Amino acid sequence: MSVISVGQAVVLGAVEGVTEFLPVSSTGHLKIVEGLMSIPVDDDAVVGFSAVIQVGAIAAVFVYFFKDIVRIVSAWGRGLVNKEERYHHDYKFAWWVIAATVPIVIVGLAAKPLIEGPLASLWVVAGSLIVGSGVMWAADQMGRHKRGEDDTTFKDAMLVGSSQILALLFPGFSRSGATMSTALILDLDRVAATRLSFFLGIPALTGAGIYELKDALGAGVGLAPLAVGTIVSFVVAYGSIAWLLKFVAKHSFNAFVIYRIVIGVLLFGLLATGTLNS
């Protein structure tokens, strides 16, 4: 019998879709909801399930940014065979995304026992939600929001890409929150920071989902819950992406900061009273 039912997969897929690209920590929210549904958050199958349904959210990015992705990949392909094309920003950007993914892959493989063990604790999630809120607020205040997407450099991509490690090691910190905060500190505007976060998430999250698929299936998650969770994640994530890009064009990240603090404090309370097990 699957450790996650189809009904639970629907709920978790919706949570993943809503939160994957919002700077509120999809991993943190998944662990909280799993805990509320009495699903063991540190079970190998559950960890694998969470990684696999991220592929649905990433698929939404592919669909939403299809024209941009085709443009970047085409420029990369032309540059491989034509030296003159290598001066094009899209060609360089493609290589930057690849290079910026290397740090999180190395840390992810090296620290896998910690990530799936002690660091999977809901206490870590609660603390990371609150600490990450402070980082996000400071970044939004410090950033001058004067640079657009075309102004990004290799240094920007590497620093923003490497910041994904924070979310990997401290679930609750938020991959989107870490990358957007870093981009804001580098003076990218909010829309450019958000779009860069999306593009840098494609290889990292896709790779994690594929890597964990065998563990999820082999450790006790049925194919039906995996498929349902991934499909629901895709549909909900598409709407979440569209909403977020419109939101950040006109608003600061303060609403997310406040929300994260509230959720973090609430989670500490639930853990302290024994309502949730860590």
Side-chain angles (χ1 to χ4, degrees):
M1 181 179 294
S2 174
V3 296
I4 296 177
S5 69
V6 171
Q8 291 171 329
V10 171
V11 174
L12 294 173
V15 172
E16 165 64 24
V18 170
T19 60
E20 180 59 57
F21 301 111
L22 302 186
V24 297
S25 177
S26 62
T27 302
H29 279 73
L30 283 172
K31 289 186 180 299
I32 291 170
V33 175
E34 288 163 0
L36 290 172
M37 293 193 295
S38 299
I39 298 173
V41 298
D42 58 349
D43 186 288
D44 288 345
V46 176
V47 174
F49 173 86
S50 300
V52 171
I53 63 173
Q54 288 177 340
V55 176
I58 285 299
V61 174
F62 276 107
V63 174
Y64 192 90
F65 293 107
F66 181 74
K67 291 183 179 179
D68 294 300
I69 292 172
V70 169
R71 188 191 73 242
I72 293 169
V73 173
S74 297
W76 181 72
R78 290 194 302 272
L80 291 177
V81 297
N82 188 335
K83 186 176 180 179
E84 293 182 359
E85 293 288 339
R86 296 172 190 172
Y87 295 98
H88 197 287
H89 184 269
D90 286 339
Y91 170 79
K92 291 185 282 188
F93 184 76
W95 277 116
W96 297 346
V97 170
I98 294 171
T101 304
V102 173
I104 192 173
V105 171
I106 293 174
V107 174
L109 293 174
K112 193 172 187 289
L114 283 175
I115 295 168
E116 296 182 356
L119 294 178
S121 168
L122 288 178
W123 289 104
V124 176
V125 172
S128 298
L129 277 166
I130 294 174
V131 172
S133 299
V135 173
M136 188 183 302
W137 179 84
D140 208 11
Q141 299 301 310
M142 291 168 55
R144 289 178 287 178
H145 315 293
K146 66 177 184 178
R147 300 170 58 211
E149 188 174 348
D150 291 339
D151 299 317
T152 55
T153 65
F154 175 68
K155 176 184 176 181
D156 295 330
M158 289 303 298
L159 289 174
V160 174
S162 296
S163 71
Q164 295 178 110
I165 294 171
L166 287 171
L168 185 66
L169 296 178
F170 305 106
F173 201 95
S174 168
R175 189 202 65 82
S176 295
T179 52
M180 290 178 191
S181 296
T182 303
L184 290 173
I185 292 173
L186 295 170
D187 293 330
L188 290 175
D189 63 48
R190 295 186 182 100
V191 173
T194 302
R195 284 173 60 88
L196 181 59
S197 175
F198 286 144
F199 290 127
L200 288 172
I202 292 174
L205 296 180
T206 301
I210 295 173
Y211 180 78
E212 294 286 356
L213 179 59
K214 66 180 188 305
D215 291 336
L217 288 172
V221 177
L223 183 59
L226 274 174
V228 169
T230 303
I231 292 170
V232 172
S233 172
F234 167 78
V235 174
V236 176
Y238 189 91
S240 180
I241 292 168
W243 177 84
L244 180 61
L245 287 171
K246 292 180 180 178
F247 181 85
V248 298
K250 298 180 180 179
H251 302 85
S252 71
F253 286 101
N254 288 343
F256 297 117
V257 171
I258 295 171
Y259 173 79
R260 289 171 57 104
I261 292 174
V262 171
I263 294 298
V265 172
L266 177 61
L267 181 54
F268 269 129
L270 292 172
L271 290 169
T273 58
T275 304
L276 276 179
N277 294 319
S278 61

